[in-house]
Every structure is written in C-alpha cells, then in structure tokens.
Amino acid sequence: MKKLGFGLMRMPILDKTNAADVDIEQVKKMVDLFMEKGFTYFDTALMYNAFASEGVAKIALVDRYPRDSFTLATKLHAAFFNSLEDRDKVFSSQLEKTGAGYFDYYLLHGIESAMLPKYEKFDCFNWLLEKKAQGIVKHAGFSYHDSAKLLDEILTKYPEMEFVQLQINYLDWESEWVQSRACYEVAVKHGKPVIVMEPVKGGTLARVPEEVEKLFKDHDADMSVPSWAIRFAASLDNVMVVLSGMSNIGQMEDNISYMENFKPLTEEERSLCYRAADIINGQIAIPCTGCSYCTEGCPKKIAIPQYFSLYNEDMREHLEEKGWTVNFTNYDILAGKFGRAKDCIGCGQCERVCPQHLPIVENLKEVSTHFDH
C-alpha cells in the first residue's frame, strides 16, 4: 500500500460557514485521481465535516468503486455512546451510512487519559476484537492523544490491538505535550505499525514563516512547503500510511507528485525540518490543529479553530506597522454566524475534548482582546 492516505476530515466545502456542505463533485474528482494513481487508503469518522464525512465516503467512493479496490477506516468516539448497546448502534449506523459492508480499519477514537476509563468501562477493546472475529472489521486499533507513558501501558494491557494512529509532524516531534517522537518510539517498541495523523498540523506546516520557506526552497526549489511535512512523517520506519486532509484537488495533485514514487528524506533534509520547527515554534501563538472537536458541544457556538487561525496569522504580522489586517474583517464575518470569542462562558467542555490539551478558555480571552471591539 502506498504511504499517502486521504483523510476525509477537511474536505472542500461550498459554504465556508457550514462544514457539512461538502463539494461532493470535487471530492469525486479527488477520489478518482487518488485511485488512478494507485492510492487506496481513506480515513473518515462519525463527526468529521459536521457528521457528513461518512455519507460523502459512500457517495464519492463506496458507490463508485469495487469494495476490494480500496481501504476504508472509521472510528468509535467516546462522546457518542453511553451503554453497551450504544456501541453497536453507532457501528451499525456507520455501516449503513458508508454502505461499506465492513471496515478495513476500525479505531477507538482519540484515546487519552480522560477518555480511556469510558472505553474500558464499556469493554470497547474486546468489543472491537469481536467485530474483527465476525469479519466486519479487518484490523483493530486506536488513535491516540496523550503521553508516551500511557501509550506504553495501553499497548501492554491490550497487545491484540494491531496498529496505532499518532499525531506526528516535525513541529511536534519533540513537543512535551504531543510527544510525537516518544509515542512513535513506544509503538515501535511494541511492534505496532503507525498511521500518521496531522502531518501538516492542520495546515500550520503549509503556511510557514518566510524564513522557513526560504530554508526549504534554497535546498529544493521544486518541492512545496507542505511536502516537507508529509515526507518527514512518511520517512519514518514503521509508518504504514500518512493521512493528509486534502481540501482541494490542487493539494492532492501536489501530494501525489512526491508520494507516487516516494523517496525518504536524507539526514540533511531531516535536519532542515528540525531547524524549521525551531523557527516556527518561536513564532506560533496558539498551536491549534483545527480538528474542530471543540466546537460540536460549545454552548455559544464559537468558531474556535477559525478564530485561533486568524489570531495566529495576525501574531505573525507586523501590526505596529499595519495597524489593521483583513483578519479583523474575516473575524467579524464569522462572528455574524457564530459566537464571538468574548461570548465564552468558561464551561471548559472544549478543553476536555481538545487533543492538543490547549487552554482554550484563556486563549479565547486573548483572541477577544485582539479582535472584539
């Protein structure tokens, strides 16, 4: 299997204020190109694109290609079951929504210390193995957002799990919070293949500071900036596939250009990635990946990831010279449909589900100070 996977999480949308309004015709073209070039791995989940992703997978992929010609992965998230019966209801609804008949890879979604007790309370690890025994799941594993120490404990306790999905990118490689390198090394120790998520960190590593772009372009002018992030993850031994949440066909064409006949990074190129990480970490204000897990339950319907993205962009600008940027207008446009940053009531539900463990409530105060007037 080629190492690039199509993450159906950040698909092209028609109405930028409605994540469920997916541009299905463009997704079909993307799926066709992806399959034509020999790539077969597709990753979705119940809540992606405001719960539309699995349905799009059916329309754009499952209904149009033989079932044995592609690999489909989806997930069970702890937020959507509260009983033993609920697990099967979710799974059955996913089978129906995708029309897939079975899932090649099925994951317990976003395991971390706060969610693990619920997965264990409802015996989800054994439940997933039962699905595998029944033939409706081919490979059982989980995605993970926590410390290397806890990951080691989980893989020791549940050795039957066949793979683990980890957030790995050159920016988070030495992060004390994400622990990309340490978690990767635990997976290697246990002999578990790794699926990489967030290789471009929600687009952060596609829009890098000028100094970093020059660093990469001076080495190889033909390689795009995001290619360095994808290739960094794909170059790691034990990595089975790298997921890219491609938002338009241009991004897919770029990814395919260097992943169709993939060549791992050289040691010199890896060193450039580490230098880039040092530069970017010195400039980024809020390390949000834009996963949007925080927004589904927000009582004030605040567009948290979008506001963080605008804020990060402004923090890289020379505001003392400009005084105003278009991000102020973009903020007001979003605030016309969503809650403003100042509307946050500090309930903390967003922080409980954030895979990056960000202090979102405090971050929103910073955003409000900057944009609300």
Side-chain angles (χ1 to χ4, degrees):
M1 182 166 61
K2 290 180 182 286
K3 273 195 167 184
L4 179 66
F6 190 173
L8 303 176
M9 180 183 182
R10 296 183 175 93
M11 292 182 286
I13 56 176
L14 298 170
D15 178 355
K16 300 304 181 184
T17 65
N18 179 9
D21 189 16
V22 177
D23 183 349
I24 293 179
E25 292 308 310
Q26 185 173 177
V27 175
K28 286 180 180 178
K29 293 177 182 177
M30 294 169 74
V31 167
D32 291 345
L33 176 61
F34 199 68
M35 294 286 285
E36 175 191 335
K37 296 297 184 177
F39 298 92
T40 59
Y41 194 100
F42 295 83
D43 174 88
T44 182
L46 182 65
M47 75 283 281
Y48 288 175
N49 276 89
F51 298 90
S53 179
E54 290 177 331
V56 172
K58 181 180 191 301
I59 297 170
L61 174 67
V62 178
D63 287 349
R64 301 172 64 240
Y65 286 90
R67 183 61 186 89
D68 61 357
S69 67
F70 60 85
T71 301
L72 184 63
T74 194
K75 312 170 186 78
L76 175 74
H77 194 282
F80 303 105
F81 65 89
N82 290 294
S83 69
L84 298 176
E85 294 74 22
D86 282 350
R87 303 168 309 173
D88 286 308
K89 287 180 182 177
V90 171
F91 188 88
S92 295
S93 72
Q94 291 174 303
L95 281 177
E96 181 178 357
K97 203 170 182 180
T98 61
Y102 63 89
F103 297 114
D104 300 278
Y105 289 79
Y106 197 88
L107 299 82
L108 303 182
H109 194 170
I111 290 182
E112 40 87 18
S113 58
M115 286 189 181
L116 181 59
K118 187 171 186 179
Y119 283 118
E120 293 191 316
K121 175 183 177 181
F122 293 105
D123 199 26
C124 291
F125 289 92
N126 288 321
W127 169 84
L128 181 50
L129 292 174
E130 290 171 6
K131 297 299 182 192
K132 182 185 174 186
Q134 295 165 13
I136 46 180
V137 166
K138 303 301 182 184
H139 299 284
F142 58 94
S143 60
Y144 183 78
H145 292 282
D146 212 304
S147 70
K149 181 177 181 295
L150 181 60
L151 179 60
D152 191 35
E153 294 171 3
I154 293 171
L155 290 176
T156 299
K157 188 173 182 179
Y158 301 104
E160 302 88 356
M161 294 293 102
E162 299 172 87
F163 66 94
V164 60
Q165 186 163 304
L166 299 172
Q167 178 171 321
I168 295 178
N169 56 68
Y170 65 76
L171 194 62
D172 291 324
W173 188 242
E174 298 295 350
S175 165
E176 64 176 305
W177 304 111
V178 181
Q179 299 188 14
S180 281
R181 177 184 58 78
C183 286
Y184 166 77
E185 289 173 353
V186 167
V188 171
K189 182 182 95 169
H190 286 269
K192 306 300 181 185
V194 172
I195 296 171
V196 173
M197 58 184 162
E198 300 292 357
V200 192
K201 200 171 173 68
T204 296
L205 302 184
R207 300 181 299 273
V208 297
E210 290 181 8
E211 183 180 354
V212 173
E213 183 170 0
K214 184 177 187 304
L215 186 73
F216 289 148
K217 291 297 184 181
D218 283 350
H219 181 82
D220 190 335
D222 295 329
M223 280 292 175
S224 68
V225 168
S227 75
W228 287 83
I230 299 285
R231 291 184 298 139
F232 175 86
S235 296
L236 295 168
D237 293 335
N238 216 55
V239 164
M240 181 179 80
V241 67
V242 177
L243 301 176
S244 179
M246 295 168 273
S247 301
N248 56 62
I249 200 162
Q251 291 177 5
M252 175 168 283
E253 288 170 342
D254 179 52
N255 283 349
I256 287 174
S257 71
Y258 53 83
M259 291 300 292
E260 187 175 8
N261 297 296
F262 173 67
K263 293 180 180 179
L265 294 182
T266 64
E267 283 304 311
E268 180 187 5
E269 290 170 330
R270 287 180 63 83
S271 295
L272 288 177
C273 289
Y274 297 141
R275 284 175 58 191
D278 289 340
I279 296 168
I280 297 168
N281 276 320
Q283 297 186 20
I284 194 167
I286 302 174
C288 170
T289 67
C291 71
S292 295
Y293 291 178
C294 56
T295 58
E296 294 300 333
C298 177
K300 294 298 183 178
K301 301 188 184 306
I302 300 170
I304 298 169
Q306 292 95 323
Y307 292 167
F308 286 175
S309 178
L310 295 176
Y311 182 75
N312 282 337
E313 286 183 23
D314 263 13
M315 292 304 99
R316 288 194 290 266
E317 295 281 357
H318 298 290
L319 294 180
E320 68 279 2
E321 298 174 8
K322 295 186 176 182
W324 178 91
T325 71
V326 71
N327 291 324
F328 283 85
T329 297
N330 291 334
Y331 176 83
D332 286 336
I333 291 171
L334 282 169
K337 182 165 183 177
F338 302 101
R340 304 183 78 90
K342 68 179 181 181
D343 296 333
C344 173
I345 60 174
C347 67
Q349 78 81 28
C350 52
E351 295 184 356
R352 290 191 288 273
V353 299
C354 176
Q356 312 305 317
H357 309 291
L358 299 177
I360 295 175
V361 174
E362 289 302 312
N363 290 154
L364 283 173
K365 291 178 182 177
E366 297 171 25
V367 171
S368 180
T369 298
H370 182 69
F371 285 118
D372 286 319
H373 46 76

